[in-house]
Amino acid sequence: MSLANLFSPINLGDISLKHRVVMAPLTRSRSAQPGDIPQALNVEYYQQRASAGLIITEATQVSPQGKGYAFTPGIHSEQQIQGWKAITDAVHAKGSKIVLQLWHVGRISHSAIQLNGELPVAPSAIAPEGQAFTEQGFLDFETPRALESNEIASIVEQFKQAAINAKQAGFDGVEVHAANGYLLDQFLKDGTNQRSDNYGGSIENRARLTLEVTAAVAEVWGSGRVGVRISPTGTFNSMSDSRPQALFNHLTEQLSPMNLAYLHVVENFAGASNEGFSFAQIRSRFAGAYMANGGYGAESAEQAIANDSTDVVSFGAPFIANPDLPERFKQGADLNELDQDTLYGGGAKGYTDYPSLVTVSS
């Protein structure tokens, strides 16, 4: 099958891509300690995958409060900024583009991770199911503290400062993480947001924080270098909404006039319930580039672009196991098998030791 569409160039706002095979954000929990600092091993990992049309980094803490998983990187200290600068330089040297995913986990954290042992924050004091991944191992999630109305501005500021820091680190743009059950998604969905102020209740109110964060980040970067990631049907991290189509149609309609680089939509993820949901309605409401994510292969991605159901496709797990994924797609080569046991934490094993086609043939 021809992959002419998948390997055609495109501009995502002000970010020009050589082709449309995008590396999705992938948490790998391998930053240097103490300090959650990107290190040489991370430089090698991203440089290996720099044949991607665009790399979206692993989710990155916008602040100490935004941290939810052990060993994940941040973008709130000078050491972290310099660690990321080594990565952006390496990716640019290979001719690719890279954007930083900005992340506040909200309630998906634990007091063992938070500064001074404070409780994680959330829109409402509702505990998720499951356990937090901490430096002390897995601990049961706690009931978070509901943010006060006068604290919301500080959340917006955390994202804005992280965007400033990302610019200093040499990125080509940033992605606002409003998906997969983290803080902005918690505000969006009524299963986790039971507030009665201007950030709760109606769809318009629940969308407010995501829109304010996106606007603040766009002030730093210019809207054409900002993407937003959403997961309308995602149930990961104990998420639910009573009217997801209406909610995300509204959010998309509000994001569209901002002239963003792209809207990154998680269409399939662990536990997603897509029954009765139309991603085509999201696509039709967004004037900019639509990026699809979730379970795509080369042929299905090509078909989706040909059918105009998406503009670009991001690939997650295949990029972990195949550092040269675009070339494998082009050649129709077999893909390496993913080692699930080495996804989170550890060293080079299952991180930078997956073979490329050049390695295999030499």
Side-chain angles (χ1 to χ4, degrees):
M1 178 182 182
S2 168
L3 301 177
N5 290 294
L6 188 58
F7 283 95
S8 63
I10 188 173
N11 291 332
L12 304 184
D14 295 330
I15 307 171
S16 58
L17 310 189
K18 293 185 290 188
H19 59 76
R20 307 181 188 210
V21 180
V22 173
M23 180 174 164
L26 296 155
T27 294
R28 305 304 307 278
S29 297
R30 283 173 167 85
S31 62
Q33 302 302 314
D36 296 335
I37 302 165
Q39 58 178 318
L41 184 65
N42 310 130
V43 174
E44 182 181 2
Y45 169 79
Y46 281 108
Q47 188 171 47
Q48 284 178 346
R49 287 154 182 80
S51 61
L54 173 70
I55 292 174
I56 305 170
T57 71
E58 62 206 280
T60 301
Q61 317 150 15
V62 297
S63 67
Q65 184 192 68
K67 179 179 178 177
Y69 297 76
F71 316 126
T72 54
I75 188 67
H76 49 82
S77 75
E78 183 59 33
Q79 294 92 337
Q80 291 165 351
I81 292 170
Q82 293 308 312
W84 279 116
K85 183 68 165 62
I87 290 172
T88 61
D89 286 347
V91 169
H92 290 151
K94 291 286 189 178
S96 189
K97 304 292 176 64
I98 182 169
V99 300
L100 183 74
Q101 191 187 57
L102 304 175
W103 188 35
H104 192 306
V105 302
R107 68 179 187 166
I108 306 301
S109 186
H110 195 278
S111 56
I113 293 174
Q114 293 289 305
L115 290 177
N116 303 317
E118 295 180 359
L119 283 172
V121 298
S124 302
I126 303 171
E129 297 177 0
Q131 295 183 309
F133 176 41
T134 78
E135 283 83 351
Q136 290 80 47
F138 286 96
L139 300 174
D140 291 343
F141 283 125
E142 303 160 302
T143 299
R145 178 180 68 81
L147 285 159
E148 300 291 339
S149 298
N150 61 8
E151 293 181 283
I152 303 294
S154 72
I155 300 295
V156 177
E157 185 58 35
Q158 287 173 37
F159 276 90
K160 185 173 184 178
Q161 184 60 53
I164 293 169
N165 295 348
K167 182 171 277 193
Q168 293 177 5
F171 284 95
D172 297 292
V174 292
E175 177 177 284
V176 173
H177 195 350
N180 297 349
Y182 300 114
L183 184 63
L184 298 184
D185 199 26
Q186 292 161 27
F187 269 86
L188 286 167
K189 293 177 180 172
D190 58 17
T192 42
N193 185 342
Q194 297 181 5
R195 302 176 71 88
S196 57
D197 62 3
N198 288 339
Y199 293 89
S202 69
I203 283 174
E204 291 78 9
N205 281 355
R206 285 184 277 124
R208 191 182 308 277
L209 181 57
T210 297
L211 295 171
E212 288 181 350
V213 165
T214 304
V217 168
E219 283 181 23
V220 174
W221 275 95
S223 58
R225 292 188 178 274
V226 175
V228 175
R229 193 179 210 216
I230 58 173
S231 54
T233 60
T235 58
F236 180 64
N237 283 325
S238 306
M239 297 303 295
S240 64
D241 190 79
S242 60
R243 299 172 59 215
Q245 192 78 64
L247 169 61
F248 284 92
N249 282 0
H250 169 78
L251 178 65
T252 305
E253 288 167 356
Q254 298 303 305
L255 289 172
S256 186
M258 293 186 180
N259 298 314
L260 301 172
Y262 61 86
L263 183 66
H264 191 181
V265 185
V266 183
E267 298 177 345
N268 292 287
F269 192 60
S273 177
N274 292 347
E275 185 177 353
F277 191 90
S278 169
F279 288 100
Q281 290 188 32
I282 303 298
R283 165 80 159 142
S284 67
R285 282 167 169 76
F286 191 69
Y290 180 102
M291 182 184 297
N293 170 264
Y296 283 88
E299 293 189 4
S300 58
E302 172 69 21
Q303 195 62 51
I305 296 170
N307 292 342
D308 198 34
S309 58
T310 191
D311 296 298
V312 289
V313 177
S314 69
F315 300 86
F319 253 118
I320 292 177
N322 300 274
D324 55 348
L325 186 66
E327 188 59 32
R328 287 177 184 266
F329 281 171
K330 283 181 182 178
Q331 296 187 23
D334 291 338
L335 299 185
N336 296 322
E337 188 174 339
L338 179 68
D339 180 2
Q340 296 279 352
D341 294 336
T342 56
L343 287 179
Y344 306 112
K349 181 174 172 55
Y351 190 62
T352 56
D353 63 349
Y354 282 106
S356 66
L357 289 172
V358 174
T359 307
V360 172
S361 62
S362 61

